[in-house]
Amino acid sequence: MADPPYPQALFLLLLSLFLITPRFSQAGRSDIVFFKRFSLDRLMGRMTNIFDAANDGGLRGEAGHYEDDQDSMVGEEAGFLPVDALDELRGDEFWTSYGGAWELVSNNSGVSAMHMQLLPNNKVVIFDSTVFGPSQVMLRRGDTCPIRGTTRDCTAHAVVYDIETAALRPLHIDTNPWCSSGGLTVDGSLLSTGGFHDGAKSTRKVAPCDTCDWQDTPNVLGDPRWYATQTELEDGSFFVIGGRKVYSYEFIPVNGKPSGVPTYLPFMDETTDLDENNLYPFVHLLPDGNLFIFANSRSILFDPKGKRVIKEFPRLLGGSRNYPASGMSVLLPLQLTDKIISPEIKAQVLVCGGAKPGAFRAAEKNKTYLPALQDCGRLVVTDQYPQWIREKMPSRRVMGDMLILPTGDILMLNGAQKGSAAWFSGKQPNFKPVLFKPNEVGKDRFRELQPTTIPRMYHSTSMLLPDARILVGGSNTNPRYKFTGVEFPTEMRMEKFSPPYLDPVLQKFRPRILLNISDKQMTYGNKFHIGFQISHVPKKAVKRREIKITMYAPPFTTHGFSMNQRLVQLGISRWFKIGGINRIVARAPPSGTIAPPGFYLVFVVYRGVPSVGVWVQIQG
């Protein structure tokens, strides 16, 4: 929560001349109110009434009675069983003691990396807010310098970052995308929704080309979407939910033109704490086309076509998991077979870390920084009677990132061990990444890796790159760009992290994909041809059980949640070798509920070592 929800907060004073506050109707929706003549007393009164009247979705619930000695169980006793325990599905991974490696790749990202998205042209769009003051990169020569408040601002607040050279290309952005949401469209463009002030009801789009810039469409959303979540549905449309004191959802069709009609969802109202704690809700598209929606400590199964709640799952005990008590969540990899119509696919959601429901308030009001949560919960949402199973992580983590690796393992990094998200609200950076292997059992599931030396606190981000390394950037706990005189200065350095599978000793076993141009297009349910070589392994020595073909949807990452992230392991229907090349015929996902239409990175994984990913596009 970049501006703490209290009238006395400094930020409210700085931005009060154009502050938005919500006014609620009986239906639970909100309208935007602009103060034409600023009155501090009126502002304080209105803000106090709004926040004191908020629903206490977690403080008085089960999560409010969480104790450290009830963190979680560990090992097999917790019932946290492997996703795929069968040897033929797991394969025989190489063992390595390598803990990974960090590389500083740039000293200046141009703008603070609050939001990041990888595009299919291997460029990354990075952007922050238009009201944070001058950034560290100028607009292009000849570009119009907009007026921000009373000052002409000739610096850019969005850039295209080249993942190979670290070169920057400034972008011009009109509406404020601060704390917005986003995702890749079917054609590979980035569509961003919501933000602050003039961006709250706006959308903006940038295509993956060397000269493309943002195209802003102001005031088209039905409700202001500040700290909302955007999820791609099976047909390529988007479902957008939540926002500051907004308890509704709406749809953006494939053509990108929102209807502007929001629908009230009581669940979002019910999960609001005094400090919100249900912002940036976790939303995952499930194999049956329904949505798993998690907010605060509660979750539901939601039918987006019928616009109805199918059922509510048990509460995840331990604390709050959404902003500002920001935890992490992924849909664990989906395992397919080589059948045209796959049997029922097990869908499992993982939620890790977070904070006590009152962690933000304790930090903001009393300068008390409560310990972050140290547990992971798994829910098999496709079970008839699902129950959360929890176990303990190696360290506490709030406002961290969680990424799915090409191997199907999970990487957790960034964040803090005390406090919450929001300006000045976190302490004790968590420098150590953690590798979580869902297919392992007992203590082997979690492993701490080589630590970074750069604190990655509030407003930090990370993403998986095609070469299977991790790009890490951001961290700005301040209302503006501030590089001195603060505990955690604004961070402009960009790093790349090499996970254990990039152990130099193992690189001779790394597959190299040989893919025909025609095979860069997939059609649902049809066969997909892929060839690969492993230079240091005789072709006859490669066994089918040692190979996995995975396809990864690159997410839009901000505030600890990677929206639209998913990994699908494809079924292999045929395997043969010709002229030293291993050739596989795999089955493309059967429908958009498994893999929504758009661009994916396809990896060949040999005994836990992934190839460089190749871009493919899937559509009906």
Side-chain angles (χ1 to χ4, degrees):
M1 192 170 300
D3 56 328
Y6 297 99
Q8 68 272 31
L10 174 62
F11 177 71
L12 292 178
L13 299 178
L14 294 174
L15 294 181
S16 57
L17 290 178
F18 56 97
L19 181 70
I20 332 172
T21 58
R23 178 180 63 216
F24 301 103
S25 67
Q26 290 183 352
R29 291 179 51 196
S30 62
D31 300 310
I32 296 295
V33 176
F34 294 91
F35 289 105
K36 295 182 179 180
R37 177 176 296 177
F38 173 65
S39 165
L40 179 60
D41 291 338
R42 179 170 57 182
L43 174 63
M44 292 180 66
R46 287 178 59 84
M47 295 301 288
T48 300
N49 289 338
I50 287 171
F51 287 101
D52 285 352
N55 185 295
D56 188 16
L59 286 171
R60 286 194 292 268
E62 295 168 307
H65 301 289
Y66 178 73
E67 299 293 340
D68 287 345
D69 61 0
Q70 297 173 349
D71 242 358
S72 62
M73 300 175 70
V74 296
E76 286 80 6
E77 293 180 357
F80 203 103
L81 299 177
V83 180
D84 297 309
L86 297 178
D87 285 342
E88 59 265 27
L89 294 179
R90 291 179 57 195
D92 297 322
E93 293 187 0
F94 289 111
W95 182 89
T96 174
S97 60
Y98 185 66
W102 290 89
E103 178 187 2
L104 179 65
V105 294
S106 173
N107 283 308
N108 182 19
S109 58
V111 301
S112 176
M114 182 190 299
H115 316 80
M116 289 205 302
Q117 172 73 62
L118 176 66
L119 301 181
N121 62 352
N122 285 340
K123 302 294 195 299
V124 175
V125 176
I126 303 174
F127 59 98
D128 61 354
S129 166
T130 60
V131 296
F132 279 10
S135 70
Q136 299 296 294
V137 61
M138 302 300 293
L139 289 169
R140 290 165 295 181
R141 181 176 298 179
D143 206 345
T144 303
C145 300
I147 301 294
R148 309 289 189 193
T150 60
T151 305
R152 188 173 297 277
D153 184 7
C154 291
T155 63
H157 296 281
V159 298
V160 172
Y161 175 91
D162 189 307
I163 62 175
E164 299 296 336
T165 67
L168 302 176
R169 179 170 68 89
L171 298 176
H172 186 109
I173 193 164
D174 290 323
T175 58
N176 193 345
W178 180 14
C179 301
S180 56
S181 48
L184 288 184
T185 61
V186 175
D187 68 0
S189 299
L190 168 59
L191 178 67
S192 168
T193 55
F196 180 72
H197 195 235
D198 61 352
K201 287 190 173 184
S202 301
T203 67
R204 56 203 70 85
K205 189 175 183 179
V206 60
C209 78
D210 292 338
T211 58
C212 293
D213 211 332
W214 287 105
Q215 301 296 318
D216 290 72
T217 308
N219 203 35
V220 291
L221 297 175
D223 271 340
R225 301 295 173 187
W226 195 23
Y227 298 87
T229 294
Q230 176 180 327
T231 303
E232 187 181 8
L233 300 179
E234 60 184 283
D235 62 351
S237 63
F238 287 103
F239 173 85
V240 184
I241 183 172
R244 291 288 303 272
K245 301 301 173 188
V246 173
Y247 312 122
S248 65
Y249 62 88
E250 56 190 288
F251 297 92
I252 300 179
V254 177
N255 63 17
K257 299 178 180 179
S259 66
V261 180
T263 302
Y264 173 63
L265 182 62
F267 171 77
M268 294 302 296
D269 197 344
E270 296 163 4
T271 53
T272 303
D273 282 341
L274 299 179
D275 302 316
E276 305 213 47
N277 285 141
N278 70 344
L279 301 177
Y280 281 124
F282 304 141
V283 183
H284 302 293
L285 175 66
L286 301 178
D288 61 3
N290 293 316
L291 295 173
F292 174 86
I293 303 175
F294 187 103
N296 204 326
S297 60
R298 294 171 54 188
S299 54
I300 57 173
L301 184 64
F302 183 78
D303 174 7
K305 293 180 179 178
K307 297 183 178 181
R308 65 187 182 94
V309 176
I310 298 174
K311 65 179 177 181
E312 180 162 354
F313 297 102
R315 184 191 294 265
L316 175 57
L317 303 181
S320 296
R321 312 288 175 160
N322 297 94
Y323 191 90
S326 301
M328 310 166 287
S329 179
V330 296
L331 177 70
L332 288 177
L334 301 175
Q335 172 77 48
L336 302 185
T337 70
D338 63 344
K339 306 299 182 183
I340 296 179
I341 300 178
S342 296
E344 182 178 351
I345 299 170
K346 180 182 291 187
Q348 304 183 82
V349 170
L350 186 69
V351 177
C352 298
K356 300 291 183 65
F360 168 75
R361 177 164 297 204
E364 198 274 344
K365 296 193 73 173
N366 304 320
K367 306 303 179 187
T368 299
Y369 303 93
L370 301 178
L373 303 185
Q374 197 177 350
D375 64 339
C376 276
R378 174 189 62 99
L379 185 72
V380 184
V381 295
T382 47
D383 279 357
Q384 185 174 3
Y385 303 105
Q387 295 291 327
W388 287 100
I389 304 297
R390 295 193 298 148
E391 65 177 336
K392 196 171 185 177
M393 298 189 294
S395 59
R396 298 180 180 276
R397 198 179 301 266
V398 63
M399 56 186 171
D401 284 331
M402 184 183 284
L403 297 174
I404 309 174
L405 300 178
T407 57
D409 296 333
I410 310 299
L411 183 71
M412 307 175 200
L413 71 168
N414 297 346
Q417 299 187 64
K418 290 185 177 180
S420 75
W423 289 333
F424 318 118
S425 297
K427 295 286 186 182
Q428 196 172 329
N430 194 326
F431 294 103
K432 289 185 178 182
V434 169
L435 185 66
F436 175 74
K437 300 177 78 67
N439 289 341
E440 297 295 337
V441 295
K443 60 186 177 69
D444 292 330
R445 274 194 293 275
F446 286 104
R447 178 185 171 191
E448 289 189 311
L449 304 177
Q450 181 70 26
T452 181
T453 59
I454 300 177
R456 299 291 184 179
M457 302 288 281
Y458 184 47
H459 288 155
S460 61
T461 48
S462 63
M463 65 170 50
L464 175 70
L465 297 176
D467 66 2
R469 290 189 290 176
I470 309 300
L471 182 67
V472 182
S475 186
N476 189 13
T477 67
N478 313 289
R480 300 177 69 85
Y481 285 75
K482 197 160 187 178
F483 303 104
T484 60
V486 290
E487 183 177 7
F488 300 112
T490 304
E491 186 55 68
M492 307 300 291
R493 289 173 290 179
M494 301 289 287
E495 296 175 285
K496 287 183 180 178
F497 177 68
S498 297
Y501 52 57
L502 294 180
D503 182 345
V505 174
L506 298 180
Q507 295 318 289
K508 61 185 178 182
F509 302 114
R510 194 169 193 188
R512 182 169 65 94
I513 293 180
L514 308 170
L515 193 67
N516 296 326
I517 297 298
S518 60
D519 283 335
K520 292 189 177 181
Q521 297 286 331
M522 281 187 185
T523 304
Y524 289 116
N526 286 351
K527 293 180 179 180
F528 176 78
H529 297 260
I530 190 167
F532 67 94
Q533 288 180 321
I534 305 174
S535 59
H536 281 70
V537 179
K539 60 181 183 295
K540 292 184 178 180
V542 178
K543 301 175 183 177
R544 178 167 174 167
R545 66 191 295 271
E546 297 171 335
I547 293 292
K548 289 194 292 190
I549 310 296
T550 60
M551 52 186 292
Y552 178 75
F556 176 86
T557 300
T558 187
H559 290 76
F561 184 44
S562 293
M563 304 177 195
N564 303 298
Q565 179 177 218
R566 66 203 295 120
L567 185 86
V568 179
Q569 181 174 338
L570 302 180
I572 297 175
S573 59
R574 190 179 172 203
W575 170 294
F576 56 97
K577 302 178 178 69
I578 299 179
I581 298 176
N582 295 279
R583 296 187 179 274
I584 287 177
V585 179
R587 179 76 64 181
S591 69
T593 62
I594 306 299
F599 283 84
Y600 291 76
L601 284 167
V602 170
F603 295 89
V604 173
V605 182
Y606 172 63
R607 298 185 63 183
V609 179
S611 67
V612 173
V614 175
W615 286 101
V616 301
Q617 185 183 30
I618 186 169
Q619 48 194 346

